[in-house]
Structure formats: C-alpha cells, structure tokens
Amino acid sequence: MPRGGPNASCLDRLLETDRQEYLDRDGALDWAGRFFKSHQRFAAIALDLVADVPDPRILELGAGQGGVSLQLLTDHPSAHVTVTDLHPESVDRIAASDLGSHPRAEVRQMDATEIDATDGSYDLAVFALSFHHLPPSQAARVFAEGTRVAKTLLIIDLPRPPAPLHVLRLATMLPLAAVLPFVHDGIISSLHSYSPSALRALAAQADVSVELSGGLLSPQIVVARAASS
C-alpha cells in the first residue's frame, strides 16, 4: 500500500523512498524534543488518555533515548512505564541513564511488531515519532499488537501533507540535506510518513478502530483501540 493511502495520486506515490534515516546518530531528535518541548506535549496527550486510571501501566515502543518515558514519570507520580526499543544500543543507553535506574521504570529490548507481553498487560501503549520507520506490513502489525497488549494505543507521528504541499516542503529542505544530518533525516522521514487514509487502512487490516487528529503543521495523533473493545 502506498504511504499516501490506497487512493494516493501518482505524484503522492512518487514521494516515497526505500532509503533509511541515520536514526539519530548524534542525539539531535532528543535535543529537539527537549528544546521544542515535544516530550512534554506528547506526555500530556498520553496521560490524558489514562486520566481515570490511578496507577497507569504504560508501555513506550520505539523509545529512542527515552525522553517521553522520562517525562511521563515526571508528570505522573504513580505511573509505571516500560521503556522499550528495538535497537540494543538504544536500550543500553537508556539502561545506563537516570531513566534506567528510576524505581517506576523497566527498560527492555522489544520489537513493536511482536510485543513480548500478555493480552491487556498495559493501560496505554505509546509509539512516538517512530511509526513511519515501518513498512506497511509491519505498521499494520503494530496496530494489532499495540491494541492487544494495551487498552489503548497512542501513535504520534509526522504528518504527510497533500502531494503539492509535500513537494514544496521537500524543496525547501533539500539544499541543506547534504550538510546537515538532521535535515537529511527529516526529508527521508517525510517520504516515509503515512497519510490519514493510509493510517485508517492499516488499522482496518488489523481490525482496529482509530480516531485521528492533528496533521499538516502539527504531528498526527492516532488513538487506536481493538474494534471489539
């Protein structure tokens, strides 16, 4: 399925790539999260979804350097957070940080497409700014797995603008891509991002209901629950 959705235009279908990001080799994403306060915004969105749970159990998938998990623990006095990432080096870095020694945190290596947890283990699963790394077949698995192990799955990811606007955005970024790794990754991530129609189609494959908000000039927010719940 195209990243622009089942009915994506020819132009939108061209705005994809198989190239990979540098995966934040220099910690720029974590710096940006702190500088632009996205960690705080994402944590607030997540905690609002478990506002009626006294001691929420939260799973963060694709945690990177763990900024969102640390913010969740800071903002909620009794939340328990399982911090996970697919990459061993990221897990080791988190484990060696203050987050790794936090009494309400558990750090584990975990694949978001094959979550090592029993059904309903968590009140909320959070996947922030990593969903676009996955091809469609694996992205659909995240919907299925996230809503299996948690009552609610929250995905926060990059928006995919309409194709003409997408072209303009990419054109403004290209001149700096060769010299700034952060801009290079921004272009690749933009080409990997999913449109709202693509997200709905992926959720439907997994028999999951979704509510979408945000987009264009702000991150896309997807709140997913198993269709039977």
Side-chain angles (χ1 to χ4, degrees):
M1 184 188 68
R3 303 275 176 146
N7 299 315
S9 67
C10 293
L11 177 58
D12 203 348
R13 291 167 188 259
L14 290 174
L15 298 175
E16 298 188 19
T17 183
D18 292 329
R19 295 186 65 178
Q20 298 299 310
E21 297 96 329
Y22 294 137
L23 291 178
D24 198 27
R25 296 181 305 183
D26 56 1
L29 287 179
D30 186 64
W31 175 86
R34 287 182 279 108
F35 183 82
F36 294 107
K37 300 188 183 303
S38 57
H39 294 335
Q40 290 95 321
R41 293 199 306 273
F42 296 168
I45 294 168
L47 292 176
D48 186 58
L49 292 171
V50 291
D52 60 342
V53 181
D55 305 307
R57 300 159 299 162
I58 302 174
L59 168 67
E60 186 182 6
L61 303 164
Q65 298 198 27
V68 174
S69 285
L70 183 59
Q71 193 67 47
L72 288 167
L73 292 165
T74 300
D75 293 348
H76 197 293
S78 61
H80 288 75
V81 180
T82 301
V83 194
T84 74
D85 199 273
L86 176 63
H87 302 285
E89 59 272 20
S90 294
V91 175
D92 290 344
R93 185 166 53 242
I94 295 170
S97 69
D98 291 343
L99 177 58
S101 59
H102 195 288
R104 290 184 282 115
E106 178 185 5
V107 181
R108 297 180 59 189
Q109 183 179 355
M110 193 177 292
D111 186 341
T113 67
E114 296 182 16
I115 300 175
D116 183 17
T118 58
D119 296 1
S121 296
Y122 299 96
D123 298 295
L124 177 68
V126 181
F127 202 13
L129 300 185
S130 294
F131 189 79
H132 63 274
H133 294 312
L134 303 173
S137 60
Q138 292 185 339
R141 286 292 302 160
V142 170
F143 274 114
E145 281 289 278
T147 55
R148 177 185 66 82
V149 303
K151 297 176 182 176
T152 303
L153 168 66
L154 170 65
I155 296 172
I156 303 174
D157 210 5
L158 303 175
R160 185 180 186 90
L165 293 178
H166 202 172
V167 170
L168 289 175
R169 184 170 74 177
L170 294 171
T172 63
M173 299 170 71
L174 277 172
L176 296 174
V179 294
L180 295 176
F182 185 73
V183 177
H184 168 275
D185 276 12
I187 291 174
I188 300 302
S189 295
S190 185
L191 294 171
H192 285 170
S193 62
Y194 288 102
S195 72
S197 64
L199 291 166
R200 291 189 181 96
L202 292 169
Q205 289 181 34
D207 193 25
V208 167
S209 62
V210 293
E211 299 173 8
L212 273 63
S213 60
L216 275 186
L217 299 178
S218 62
Q220 289 195 97
I221 299 169
V222 184
V223 176
R225 297 179 177 91
S228 58
S229 64

